[in-house]
Amino acid sequence: MTRIAVVLAVTGTLLAGADSKPNFSGRWELQPKDSESAPDEKAKPRVIEVIKHEEPVLVIDRTIKRENGDMRDVVKLRTDGVAVENLLGNGAVKSTSRWEGNKLITDGEMEGAPPLREIREMDNQGRMIVTMDYKS
């Protein structure tokens, strides 16, 4: 299993629901020095996520900026366990998301790729921590 942890900081307002599940709405930007996404600082892309979170729907508009060009995708998730399908790159990713306490767990599969688990949570500094586990 390969694990990658990235830290994103918000530019905007952080909201928390009444049941203490975080509302991830806002503009988030990857914090390379706090992330494990690549061993070489220069290789880390600039990642920006603009999230609109209205329970149970979470929409992530992600832009990845690299030296050789930008990549943009929009991912729609449901936090209530209802399966969704998103087109990313050359394929469809089928996923389900659910809350475990204050962590949003998303399990996804794409044909020809190992299963992925993504965990989104807030740390005590108001940063969003995204941990991705690729199961091989």
Side-chain angles (χ1 to χ4, degrees), residues 117-134:
R117 172 168 281 181
E118 178 182 271
I119 302 167
R120 288 179 181 264
E121 62 186 307
M122 302 301 297
D123 71 5
N124 59 4
Q125 297 174 8
R127 301 177 306 174
M128 179 171 41
I129 309 297
V130 180
T131 305
M132 293 170 275
D133 289 332
Y134 295 90

Side-chain angles (χ1 to χ4, degrees), residues 1-123:
M1 174 174 20
T2 303
R3 175 170 280 181
I4 298 172
V6 296
V7 178
L8 295 103
V10 70
T11 53
T13 304
L14 178 64
L15 304 171
D19 54 4
S20 66
K21 292 180 181 130
N23 182 311
F24 294 116
S25 292
R27 182 182 185 280
W28 299 88
E29 190 161 344
L30 175 70
Q31 302 298 299
K33 66 179 171 51
D34 296 328
S35 301
E36 301 170 6
S37 60
D40 178 9
E41 278 295 313
K42 294 176 187 170
K44 292 182 182 177
R46 182 169 178 226
V47 179
I48 298 168
E49 290 186 349
V50 177
I51 299 177
K52 184 176 181 183
H53 185 178
E54 295 178 6
E55 279 295 324
V57 177
L58 184 84
V59 179
I60 304 167
D61 186 338
R62 179 184 301 121
T63 302
I64 300 173
K65 297 178 175 282
R66 298 181 188 267
E67 289 181 14
N68 60 347
D70 296 355
M71 183 179 81
R72 180 173 176 249
D73 57 54
V74 176
V75 176
K76 295 179 183 179
L77 303 173
R78 292 188 55 102
T79 63
D80 56 3
V82 173
V84 297
E85 184 172 292
N86 289 282
L87 295 177
L88 298 175
N90 295 327
V93 176
K94 296 177 183 177
S95 62
T96 57
S97 302
R98 68 192 179 287
W99 288 106
E100 286 187 10
N102 63 354
K103 295 179 181 181
L104 182 62
I105 312 294
T106 301
D107 290 305
E109 292 187 12
M110 181 176 189
E111 190 172 323
L116 167 70
R117 172 168 281 181
E118 178 182 271
I119 302 167
R120 288 179 181 264
E121 62 186 307
M122 302 301 297
D123 71 5

